Structure formats: structure tokens, C-alpha cells
Amino acid sequence: MLIYILRRLALSVSVVFAAIVATFAIFFLGPSDPAGAFCGQGQNCTPERVAIIKKSLGLDEPKTTQFVHYIEGVVVGRDIGDSDSSVKHCPAPCLGWSYRSNRPVTDMVLERFPVTLSLVVGGVAVYVTLALLFGVLAARFRGRLIDRVIVGVSQFVPAIPYYIAALMFYLYFMVFYAIIPRSSYTSITESPWAWFTGLLGVWLFWGAFASTGYIRYVRASMIDTQGQDYVRTARSKGISEKRVMYRHALRAAIAPFITLVGISIAFELTGSIFTERIFNIQGMGLLALDSFNTGDLPVIAGVVVITATFVTIGNLIVDMLYGVVDPRVKLS
Amino acid sequence: MSVGTTAPTPAEGQLEAPSDADPDIQLAEGGGSKSPLKIAMTRLMRDPVAMISLGMALFFVLVAVFADQLSGLEGQNTTDLNLDLIGDNTYPIFTANTEHWFGISSGLGQDLFARWVHGSRPSLIIAVASAAGVTIIGVLLGLLSGFLGGWVDRIISWIIDFLLSLPFLLFAIAIVPIAVNRYAGTQVGDYVDEEKVATIRFLCLIFVFVLFGWCTLARLIRGEVLSLREREFVQAARALGVPTRVVLFKEMLPNMLGPIIVSLSLAIPGYVSAEAGLSFLGVGLRSPSISWGLTVATAQNSFQAHPIYLWLPVLGIALLVLSLSLLGDAIADAFNPQTRR
């Protein structure tokens, strides 16, 4: 067990490292012009000033040296800027320096992290509940009208682009008719109630929409496990149907579902760009989008690295959980 | 390489003959064993949802192909400004009339019908081009990885795993400015050609979709190859000394048409949706390109006073993606032996 965890951990670290290398290669070895972006478009931006900025950011050094500095920054932190001009300290894990905001990228991303996390956790709670509820319901009444309605809806809804549905929901239900409180983000420490009501509409909409993509998985694996021998054995022992459903069949059916959810949580941490843009929630996705518009590449790169890390950690946790939930899986 | 259009060619030494020869011979014999492709086609023809979706998708394809003729019929083009028809509040003074069938846009007063029919083009072109690229690269690398095995397989598999762990949307966002920077030159004082930037953005989208799209198909094909490799007809062909290239493309590929067609038909609506979505976010196409996603982004601000401006591209995207997705689902169903009745 311990060896398995260690080996799995080593693999995850290697993937994260590869992601950092790839991100660095794409963003910093690419033909981008960070010094120009930092300098701005106005009259003050003379070639001399660009050269000074380049020097202070270390962009005049060879690419390999830059890469070593970058990795060094991630591990132990680093100082940016040469000795005679103002030195900026970027503590570990340093993912670079934002040219636009003139502050460490890590701070900027971490500042937005609770926002996106609130969004994703609430949304996932809604969709997991709905997917399990309707999936089990459909499987239980297989072939009946209720099953066909659920399956029909779960086929039809994901075929509509999410952002179109979300935009119309926002415009008509939150703005035009104002049935649901307009989405906004307040820190949970500041006011839990404002935090809850501000995000409620987004959670419900996103959760309901996303659940339709998972209902069919839950239904299919419920139907699958119901035909298994151990479920038949459980029934033959005279255990109540409810207990058979929830303790025996659902527990096995839930394992592949957990994999899906775990991966989706990690991906939603940045995949929430559309949600954040439409509902105007200032999370990590919107940070990346704003950085795109200002040409602030280190920030986008930072978000990419952090996301890749989350995806990898997510996969790791999912693999561990798998053994806990499904007794048939032995970690080795 | 022709994928998806030609009927599978007969495979040498094939014992079970799942995929088969000329459809005419089959018909003449009156049934018996049919190729999986034919069975799937027959099932598809009987599926009402598939046929309605196909009709709707074809409608949009025709609109895209004849966009110039359609706007010519109306007598308007996509760029003319009609500032005289715009009221003081920047909204048009009418909804629609015989000259402007779908009305005009807020602010600039461009003809909405002309822009709507042209707006379907980039989505469809990008989707088809990306799907073609994904199919060629995915099939090729999947075949190589599965058939050659060894270090080729390990490298390709690692690349696939790696690409799948990267956040697609963020890379899509990042690649456009890098490419524009590189190929159009946005140094201070540089003259930036709008048309050129538009082309770069267009190509970038295709590039990103192909880059992140081929891995899933390659993985699928690799799995298929691994199972087909041990089948008798492949063993026989190899024993006869048939060159690897011929074994791959003449023996194995025809047997994988089903999964390839299914993955294509499920991918295309995804690309249509992604193009419009990225353009909506402002990181895909931009003016002077015309795209539904772009129109949605601008029309969003005047949805209360001028709803038709927003609803047209919204309905366009929703119906096009809906019909393509449902068609894709139906095709996947038709090819799935487990749902065969």
C-alpha cells in the first residue's frame, strides 16, 4: 500500500514537472514580448526603456539560465531585478512576476482561488446529488415513463452549448425578470449569507446542467451492478430492496462515478472560465481571461501550472479513494 | 488516405468477414451478411431523431455554402453601415422590414440577416478542418503506436497522457496572442494588417483543436489495433510477408471505420461549440471576422432593448450544435453492436 502510494506520488510529481517545463517552453521561449507588454503602448516606451525592463526581468539572459531561475523560483523563491534597480522578492513557490500588476503571480492566483473553489465545490455538490438521485431513479424504474423522461432530458440538455444556456439563464432569470438573486461573490469570512445567496443561482444552474451529463453513467452502472451475483445473493438473503439498492448496488456503481467527479473537479477549477465570465465571478478563469486581454503571459502560465497540478492531485486522490469506496479494488 | 467515404475493401484471409465488399454484390445476393457500415446506415435511416437532426444540420451547411447568394437575394452585405436607421439611443428605430429581413445591429446598423448567414461559416469550416486534421493525425499515430509497440508506443502514449492533463481552454487562450505576436508583429509602431490577424486567429483555432483533439482518437485506435493485431487475418497477412504499411492501411484500417466515424461525428459538434465559445470569450475570432459567438458577445449588452440581435446567433449556435450532437449520438448508437436490435 505504502509503496503504491509512493510510486503514484512520484509519477504525479513527474507529470507536474513536465507541465512546468512545457508551460515554460510555450510561454517564455515563445516569441512573446513581455518587456514590451510591461512597458506599455504609450510615448514613454522607448527602446532604451524596453532594454532596461528586459534586463531587470532577466530576459536578456540565455533561455536555459532563465529556466533554471524559473525552477529555482518554484522551489525556493527568487529575487527579480538587477542589483542597482529596485529588487522584487518573489517567495516560493514563485510562478513568475506579473508585468502588468507588478506583483508575484502566485499571490494573484491564490487570491482568486477561494472564489473558484466556492463556485466549483457548490456546483459539484448540486450535480452529484442530482446525478445520483435521477440516475438511481431511472435505473429503478427502468423502461417506464419516468426513466424515459430522465434519459431523454439527459440526452437533450448536454447537446446545447453550456455557455449559451448559461448566458440566457443569466440574462433572463437574473437580470430581466430577476427571479433569482443576481450572482456575485462575497468572501465567506465576510458574510456567509451574502456568499451563499450570491452563488446560489450559479450553483443551481451549473449543477443542474452538468448533472445531465452524468445521469446516464449512474443509471448504466446501477443497471450493470444490479445484475451482479453479489446483489442477487443480497436479495436472496432477504435484505430489504432499499438496503440492497443503496448498500450493495449503489456502492459499487458509485466507484466509476467518483473517478469522473474527481477529474471534473480538477478541470472545473479552470474550466469555469465560461461560468465566471457570464456570471461575472472574479475567479481564476476570469483572471486568465483578463491576463489574456492585457498580454500578461506569466499570469496565464501560472494558472496553467496550478491547474495542471490540481488535475494531477485530483487524479491521485481519486485513485486512493477508489479502493475505499469499492471493496473489490485492491491497491497494489 | 480516404476515411469515412469509401466502403471497406475486402481483407485478405479474413475469416469472419465482418466488413465487406461492393454493396451492389451484397444487394444482388439479397442480404445474408452485411458490412457493419451498411447495418449502421440502415439503422440510422430508420431513426427519426437522426433524420431530423441531419435535415437541420444540412440546412445550416447550405446556409453557410450559399451565404453570399442569400445575402445577395436580400440585397445587403455584411459591412455596410446604416447609421441613418439608428436612433439617438444607439438602438435601431425598427425591428425588421423588407429591406433588412432580420433588422440591423445596435450601434453600427449592420444588416443582421447578412451577418447571420455568414456567421455560420467559420464554425463549420473550423469544425470540419479540425476534424479532418484530428482524424489523420490520430489514426496515423494510433496505428503506429499500437502496431509498432516498444519505445514508439511508450513515447506516443506518454505524449497522449501528458496532453490530456493540460487544461485545453487555457492553452487555447494563450496560443492566440503568441502566434499573433510571432506572425503579425505587434511591436510598437508596427502596422498590423487586420485581415492577416484574422487569418492567424482562424488557423490558431484549428491548430489548438487538432493539438488537443488527436490524443483521444489515437488512444482509441491504439486499443483497436492491439486487439486486431492478434486476429487471424492479420496474422495470415503478416505470415504471407505483406508489408507493414499494407497490413496497416488495407487490413486493419477498414476494420476501424466504425469507431473512427463515431469519434468524428461526436467531435464535430464539440468544435463548432468551442469555436463560438472562444469567440464569445473574446479569445477566438475577432472583428473583422464574422462569427455567431462574436455577435452574441456584442449583442449581450443590448438584449433588453434589441432582443432579436442576441436571439439570432443564440438560436443559430444552439440549433446547429444540438442537431450535430444528436446526430452524433445517433451515429454512435447505430454503430454500437450492444444496442443492436
Side-chain angles (χ1 to χ4, degrees), chain B residues 162-212:
Chain B
F162 177 63
L163 279 176
L164 288 178
S165 80
L166 293 178
F168 156 75
L169 209 50
L170 286 173
F171 268 84
I173 288 178
I175 282 172
V176 171
I178 290 173
V180 170
N181 224 322
R182 173 78 178 78
Y183 296 105
T186 47
Q187 298 279 332
V188 182
D190 267 5
Y191 171 69
V192 180
D193 185 0
E194 272 195 339
E195 289 291 327
K196 198 175 158 194
V197 174
T199 317
I200 292 172
R201 286 175 178 279
F202 197 84
L203 294 177
C204 267
L205 285 180
I206 299 176
F207 173 75
V208 174
F209 293 161
V210 173
L211 181 70
F212 284 90

Side-chain angles (χ1 to χ4, degrees), chain B residues 29-88:
Chain B
E29 283 170 3
S33 65
K34 282 184 187 169
S35 78
L37 202 65
K38 275 201 67 180
I39 296 172
M41 285 302 287
T42 322
R43 297 181 72 193
L44 212 54
M45 300 284 278
R46 295 206 190 112
D47 185 347
V49 176
M51 287 300 110
I52 294 170
S53 310
L54 182 67
M56 211 146 80
L58 277 179
F59 165 76
F60 283 109
V61 171
L62 288 177
V63 165
V65 171
F66 295 108
D68 290 327
Q69 284 77 2
L70 282 170
S71 51
L73 205 64
E74 188 206 24
Q76 302 292 339
N77 64 34
T78 54
T79 47
D80 277 357
L81 308 181
N82 296 290
L83 295 173
D84 51 322
L85 298 174
I86 299 291
D88 292 333

Side-chain angles (χ1 to χ4, degrees), chain B residues 107-120:
Chain B
L108 295 173
Q110 290 164 325
D111 184 70
L112 288 182
F113 177 77
R115 291 183 80 82
W116 189 78
V117 293
H118 281 90
S120 60

Side-chain angles (χ1 to χ4, degrees), chain A residues 26-27 31 163 167 171-172 292 304, chain B residues 171 173-174 177 182 273 276-277 311:
Chain A
I26 292 172
F27 286 92
Y163 56 91
L167 180 70
L171 291 179
Y172 282 93
F292 163 82
V304 170
Chain B
F171 268 84
I173 288 178
R182 173 78 178 78
S273 168
W311 275 96

